[in-house]
């Protein structure tokens, strides 16, 4: 796929290949190094005061969470979806996937879209799981609809995840790009081949 790929053009390419993976890596770095595990812990629930220092097991657990986040960003793994940290396609693996598509299917946008769509589907499930099932349910009831009380981490986990989900749906709908596989009948796909 060239830079101006019709399968993943402009905005989609920038968001899914650069911004989304960087946001995952930033969370890891911020938990491991600066501002650190204590900051991460204090940001999990907005408007809840933190006592400051955490005990060693809590710090270790949060660093392991950071480790899990970096495992999600490992571009060399394509194994089953069975491990805890890998409940969906890895966000950073999209970079590797796109490179593989570019190298092996340069003149087949239908196959490119089919493969990329499978990854987008898994990531869409991850978006919903992260925002609705984990963060939203974990918030105290009085904070769930108090959007102005949310901190940047809560907005990142809910607002940004829902934005990614909506953008993936727009990609599947063909908004801002030509569709080659999704949205076409089998007969249409055979005619274009």
């Amino acid at each position: 796929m060239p830079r101006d790929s019709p399968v993943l053009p402009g905005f989609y390419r920038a968001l899914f290949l650069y911004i989304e993976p960087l946001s995952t890596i930033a969370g890891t770095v911020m938990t491991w190094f600066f501002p650190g595990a204590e900051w991460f812990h204090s940001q999990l629930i907005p408007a809840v005061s933190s006592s400051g220092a955490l005990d060693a097991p809590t710090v270790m657990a949060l660093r392991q969470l950071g480790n899990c986040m970096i495992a999600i960003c490992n571009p060399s793994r394509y194994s089953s979806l069975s491990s805890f940290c890998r409940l969906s396609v890895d966000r950073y693996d999209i970079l590797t996937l796109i490179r593989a598509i570019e190298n092996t299917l340069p003149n087949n946008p239908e196959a490119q879209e089919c493969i990329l769509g499978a990854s987008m589907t898994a990531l869409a499930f991850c978006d919903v799981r992260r925002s609705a099932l984990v963060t939203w349910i974990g918030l105290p009831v009085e904070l769930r609809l108090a959007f102005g009380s949310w901190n940047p981490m809560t907005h990142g986990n809910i607002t940004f995840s829902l934005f990614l989900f909506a953008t993936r749906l727009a990609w599947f709908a063909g908004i801002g790009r030509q569709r080659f596989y999704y949205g076409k009948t089998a007969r249409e796909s055979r005619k274009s081949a």
Side-chain angles (χ1 to χ4, degrees):
M1 274 186 288
R3 286 271 180 234
D4 59 344
S5 166
V7 174
L8 197 65
F11 172 72
Y12 293 116
R13 187 175 192 92
L15 180 64
F16 297 133
L17 292 183
Y18 303 109
I19 297 169
E20 184 177 17
L22 285 174
S23 72
T24 303
I25 290 184
T28 300
V29 170
M30 291 171 73
T31 302
W32 280 358
F33 303 110
F34 182 79
E38 290 82 8
W39 168 84
F40 182 86
H41 183 266
S42 71
Q43 296 297 301
L44 288 173
I45 303 291
V48 173
S49 62
S50 175
S51 62
L54 302 175
D55 61 15
T58 303
V59 171
M60 176 60 76
L62 292 172
R63 289 193 175 141
Q64 290 298 336
L65 176 63
N67 190 45
C68 189
M69 291 169 67
I70 208 69
I72 287 172
C73 294
N74 182 350
S76 64
R77 291 175 15 264
Y78 280 101
S79 60
S80 71
L81 303 178
S82 60
S83 73
F84 174 76
C85 292
R86 186 148 177 184
L87 296 174
S88 67
V89 171
D90 297 346
R91 294 183 186 282
Y92 208 68
D93 279 350
I94 292 292
L95 289 171
T96 304
L97 178 65
I98 293 301
R99 298 288 185 301
I101 291 171
E102 288 173 349
N103 293 335
T104 58
L105 302 167
N107 300 315
N108 191 343
E110 184 176 329
Q112 292 173 2
E113 185 174 293
C114 179
I115 295 166
L116 187 57
S119 297
M120 291 285 204
T121 299
L123 287 168
F125 282 113
C126 180
D127 295 335
V128 171
R129 184 187 67 243
R130 176 197 223 181
S131 61
L133 299 179
V134 176
T135 308
W136 179 269
I137 291 171
L139 285 176
V141 174
E142 65 274 8
L143 289 176
R144 289 184 184 163
L145 297 176
F147 308 119
S149 298
W150 291 3
N151 59 24
M153 183 180 294
T154 305
H155 278 293
N157 285 330
I158 296 176
T159 311
F160 187 60
S161 292
L162 291 175
F163 170 73
L164 290 170
F165 178 72
T167 306
R168 289 185 221 290
L169 292 180
W171 182 86
F172 276 108
I175 297 171
R177 69 178 194 88
Q178 180 180 353
R179 292 181 356 179
F180 297 95
Y181 179 80
Y182 291 99
K184 295 196 173 216
T185 64
R187 182 177 296 152
E188 288 174 316
S189 293
R190 281 194 297 269
K191 284 182 186 177
S192 66

